[in-house]
Structure formats: structure tokens, C-alpha cells
Amino acid sequence: EAEAEAVRAMAGELDRSGQLAGKSVGGSPAAVPSCRALQVQELMRRLAGALLELHFEGRSKGSPGNAACSDRKLAYLLVAGSAAAVTVRMKELHRARSQRKREELWWAVRTSLPQLNDMRLRVFVQVLRGLCAPFPTETIGPPSEQADLAALVVDATLAAREMGLTELSLTHLPCADEQRDELIRSPFLEERMQAELDQLLVPEETPLRAPSD
């Protein structure tokens, strides 16, 4: 925020300088922009680019890595694999004890979910249910590891709701009533995550709201 304010202040000063440089000696607008006016305009363009970079940096703050880090195998399994295969791959990436592998997992989930149809989203909900189940499983590991993996996957799921302007966003997760109840009461998720996940979960017997014109 401090960097953004500094850039805005500089832009204001340059804008005033540009207005002065673009005037003739008498104070009226010059017929031909001076060399200084052109330099100021170029600096203004560069500052505008810097402000845009700060804006998007702020939007992605807190998100690990970048989209290029997405794990291709996990992304493929989310599209075509079974719930068990997806869970195993997530466990492999998580157990690598590497920040890079965690980022690859996070981005694969975030970028893949908006591309999935309802059938594949139901498979993903099965994965979530297994990750968030309130009892340890041999497939996932001890409770501490399960809790960390569950929180990582749910965080990526929630982030998929806020993709860029040119990208699809995750709008819902079709589920059964019992799946919803187990997920929003999972002891491995913070209350904030439970509440936000609840907004995404749509029981299958509940019709989706038709988009308004």
C-alpha cells in the first residue's frame, strides 16, 4: 500500500509538470508538445504500468507461487481420474515436504476446478469429503498431516472463485446433503473456511439459480 501511494504521488507531480510543459510562454496550450512534455508523457505511461502491477500483486498477495507451478498429473487426474487417484497424488505432493510441491498442488486445484463439469466436480467433492473426514484414514495419513492437506486443498478451492477477468471462476460444488454437513463441520477447517465452503456447496436436489439477463 505504501508503494502504491508513493507511485500515485509521483504520478500527480508528473501530471502537473506535464500540464506546465505543454503550455506556451503565455500560458496557452502549445501547438507542438515540447521535448519535456513528451518525456513526461512517457514517464506517465510507465507509472501507469507500475500501478497496474501493484494492483495485481495486491490481488494475488497470499497466493503461493504462480499458475505455471500447476502439477500436470494432478490437473489431469482432476479431469479424468478417480477420487482415490486424485487423493493419492495430492498426498504425494504434500508429503514431499517441499514448498514448490505444495504450490503445484494448490495451483492445480485452483486452475482446474473452474474447467470441470458437474460430474467431475462431484468426484472432487468426494475427495474433499475424504480429506475433511473427522477420522484418520490410511489413505491420507495421521490427523496432523490430514488437517494440513485438507486446509491447503480447501484454500485453493475457495481461491478458484476469484479467477481473473478473462478466466472462468468456480461458482458451485454439487453435493449430497450428508457431504455438505460433514464438510462444513470438519474439525480440520477453520470457521471461516467452513462458512465460505458452505456458500459453494449446492445439494443436488436444490436447483441452481438461473442467471439473470
Side-chain angles (χ1 to χ4, degrees), residues 54-71:
L54 284 170
H55 169 70
F56 288 112
E57 180 181 342
R59 283 174 59 90
S60 61
K61 188 176 182 180
S63 301
N66 55 70
C69 293
S70 177
D71 181 71

Side-chain angles (χ1 to χ4, degrees), residues 22-30:
K23 293 181 178 180
S24 63
V25 177
S28 58

Side-chain angles (χ1 to χ4, degrees), residues 6 20 66 109 208 210:
L20 292 175
N66 55 70
V109 173
L208 294 177

Side-chain angles (χ1 to χ4, degrees), residues 71-87:
D71 181 71
R72 293 183 179 180
K73 182 175 181 179
L74 178 56
Y76 169 78
L77 291 172
L78 287 168
V79 172
S82 65
V86 171
T87 301

